[in-house]
Amino acid sequence: MAYQDHIIEMGQLIKSKNGTWDGINAESVARMRLQNRFKTGLEIARYTADIMRKDMAAYDADSSQYTQSLGCWHGFIGQQKMIAIKKHFGTTDRKYLYLSGWMVAALRSDFGPLPDQSMHEKTSVPALIEELYTFLRQADARELGGLFRDLDAAREAGDKAKEQKLLDAVDNFQTHVVPIIADIDAGFGNAEATYLLAKKMIEAGACALQIENQVSDEKQCGHQDGKVTVPHEDFLQKVRACRYAFLEMGVENGIIVTRTDSLGAGLTKQIAVSTTPGDLGDQYNSFLDCEEISAADLANGDVVINRGGKLLRPKRLPSNLFQFREGTGADRCVLDSITSLQNGADLLWIETEKPHVEQIASMMDRVREVIPNAKLVYNNSPSFNWTLNFRQQVFDAYKAAGKDVSAYDREKLMSIDYDATELAIEADERIRTFQADGAKRAGIFHHLITLPTYHTAALSTDNLAKEYFGAAGMLGYVLGVQRQEIRQGIACVKHQNMSGSDLGDDHKEYFAGEAALKAGGVHNTMGQFA
């Protein structure tokens, strides 16, 4: 509803109360309504699901229309990211937030820092979703509040042209509320546990849930060793649980992202149930590392598979886990991906050990032979050494082309000594274009960095500590932080405004009129940053 329509509607409502509501100002109500567009998390989930569906269709038509996100571990971080995006690009289109289970475990658990093994409280995930959207909604209220103040000033000055321009800006305001792709890990238990957590995450505003095919009680970070996968039917129960949760909550457009860790997972906890040759369970079991035996070779407690009349004994470890054959990871990823898409998933996530477009494409090409519009969410992970990986990729390309690489030591390409070389410059260009290249060649619809703000917080804090506690003293803060905030137009340099002080003053004036005791007077030191 347009701003003026809100005012008219509220004016009529106030008038209908026969004078008892005359202390309420219709325009003030209209402002508060626009500053709080989303009343519930479910409204947000439905709204953002529609955005993602629209973006997925746009990507299908043109692969340059891929989407991006950064992982955010606090509402303030997510808020500042979206404020920065609007400032620099003028729009939030195709820019999302990512909620990383790794960062929840490391930064938001009551147990303190934990590894990414689903040991943190599951309730901390929906709590962070709600927190992120609280801060994004506050960013809306703050920016609109500034427009309303400017509108009042234009009216007071009698500047009709500026007044109309500001009214148009209000009516065409783009919210900071964007889709969140939220990590539900391996579901934190069985399918029922997955369903219950999914409901909470959706209620908090999540329109996209990312779930992985690891065993929930053996879950590991995607870039650590010791990963254990489950048979497809076990995983699909959890995929269906997520869909049921979306449908129950009335978010019919909800997005499920199914992640396969099979490329780096060499173990399974279970042998899949198979009733007929070639069924899904039989395909899963076909990757097991087995030896053919006879009945006479059976030992006490052996587990044996009958395949085509042959007795096969899977290799079982002392941990009671079963081992897959070496070199089957890519084949398992392809089967996982096709199976997920055929059973209700919307997007895929293939966790790899390095960022290599052709490696990703080699699997996605096979998936797309079966499902042509298959799309990938890809983790541009900080666990990769991007500099070394891409320099080695260029080194290998040079060598394959017969180019002289004698000036380079492949294992030491991270060295600063190579920074100005032709090889390093080409590697950096490949890093720069990696997302566009991956979107075009490998079906990557969404690029995300899982843990960037974890690393930026650590880096900026280290730099400040080095300067402030060193010889620079207070100049370390002023040069490295405040002066940069002022000159780069960083919104939170006015931290009182960012925390809601001006919004509070507006409300005080609505409630108390001229009797309002406001914080934003001439003695507020934030005026030094006008």
Side-chain angles (χ1 to χ4, degrees), residues 400-414:
K403 196 167 182 176
D404 181 13
V405 291
S406 60
Y408 304 102
D409 183 336
R410 190 180 187 280
E411 300 309 311
K412 297 180 180 178
L413 287 173
M414 184 67 201

Side-chain angles (χ1 to χ4, degrees), residues 82-364:
M82 297 316 302
I83 287 174
I85 286 170
K86 285 194 75 174
K87 180 182 78 171
H88 291 296
F89 305 104
T91 178
T92 62
D93 289 352
R94 306 201 313 276
K95 308 295 191 293
Y96 304 167
L97 296 183
Y98 178 65
L99 186 154
S100 160
W102 192 102
M103 286 207 284
V104 173
L107 299 169
R108 303 302 300 260
S109 172
D110 287 344
F111 293 109
L114 293 172
D116 184 19
Q117 296 172 352
S118 292
M119 294 188 292
H120 55 282
E121 310 85 354
K122 64 168 69 176
T123 53
S124 59
V125 182
L128 178 53
I129 297 168
E130 183 176 4
E131 176 182 292
L132 283 162
Y133 280 128
T134 296
F135 273 80
L136 294 184
R137 290 158 69 190
Q138 194 257 11
D140 282 359
R142 173 189 164 275
E143 186 175 330
L144 282 165
L147 291 174
F148 294 142
R149 285 168 178 251
D150 291 344
L151 178 61
D152 290 341
R155 286 171 174 170
E156 190 173 339
D159 190 337
K160 293 292 184 182
K162 188 172 184 181
E163 178 185 355
Q164 188 56 53
K165 185 177 179 181
L166 287 163
L167 287 170
D168 291 342
V170 170
D171 284 341
N172 294 293
F173 179 81
Q174 186 178 36
T175 177
H176 295 82
V177 169
V178 296
I180 290 177
I181 298 176
D183 188 356
I184 197 171
D185 279 22
F188 287 84
N190 61 14
E192 176 70 8
T194 302
Y195 153 77
L196 292 170
L197 177 55
K199 274 181 53 175
K200 286 293 184 185
M201 293 169 71
I202 296 162
E203 283 179 326
C207 73
L209 304 179
Q210 168 224 324
I211 187 164
E212 60 203 60
N213 69 335
Q214 292 192 51
V215 177
S216 59
D217 59 349
E218 300 282 356
K219 181 258 188 303
Q220 289 277 22
C221 171
H223 294 285
Q224 290 184 317
D225 205 356
K227 293 189 289 183
V228 182
T229 63
V230 297
H232 296 95
E233 186 49 46
D234 294 53
F235 181 59
L236 294 177
Q237 290 176 24
K238 295 183 179 182
V239 174
R240 288 192 286 270
C242 290
R243 182 63 66 203
Y244 272 107
F246 273 124
L247 294 173
E248 179 182 338
M249 304 311 294
V251 187
E252 288 85 0
N253 253 358
I255 290 97
I256 298 174
V257 183
T258 50
R259 172 175 139 181
T260 172
D261 281 277
S262 290
L263 196 62
L267 303 169
T268 183
K269 199 168 188 177
Q270 298 165 266
I271 294 175
V273 173
S274 173
T275 56
T276 57
D279 65 13
L280 200 52
D282 191 42
Q283 291 180 69
Y284 185 81
N285 294 338
S286 71
F287 296 115
L288 292 170
D289 189 358
C290 300
E291 60 177 334
E292 186 177 346
I293 63 170
S294 66
D297 297 321
L298 287 170
N300 186 59
D302 270 352
V303 174
V304 178
I305 296 173
N306 175 11
R307 181 177 294 132
K310 296 179 180 179
L311 293 180
L312 301 177
R313 179 166 56 197
K315 184 172 182 180
R316 184 162 59 172
L317 305 180
S319 60
N320 203 30
L321 298 171
F322 297 93
Q323 187 167 294
F324 290 114
R325 295 194 316 278
E326 287 278 345
T328 63
D331 292 337
R332 286 183 280 128
C333 281
V334 171
L335 180 60
D336 296 342
S337 299
I338 293 170
T339 301
S340 291
L341 291 174
Q342 289 175 334
N343 287 272
D346 301 291
L347 295 168
L348 302 171
W349 174 319
I350 298 176
E351 194 77 321
T352 66
E353 83 290 356
K354 61 182 180 291
H356 194 296
V357 170
E358 285 306 316
Q359 179 200 30
I360 303 161
S362 68
M363 292 181 279
M364 283 299 288

Side-chain angles (χ1 to χ4, degrees), residues 466-479:
K466 177 179 66 176
E467 297 298 322
Y468 176 74
F469 292 104
M474 190 57 196
L475 186 60
Y477 173 78
V478 172
L479 279 180

Side-chain angles (χ1 to χ4, degrees), residues 41-56:
L42 285 175
E43 286 184 35
I44 291 172
R46 295 185 189 108
Y47 168 78
T48 53
D50 287 342
I51 290 174
M52 279 196 72
R53 294 288 178 179
K54 175 179 65 71
D55 289 346
M56 289 160 68

Side-chain angles (χ1 to χ4, degrees), residues 2-15:
Y3 182 46
Q4 295 294 349
D5 291 335
H6 274 291
I7 295 171
I8 292 168
E9 182 181 283
M10 286 301 98
Q12 291 171 344
L13 178 62
I14 291 166
K15 187 176 180 180

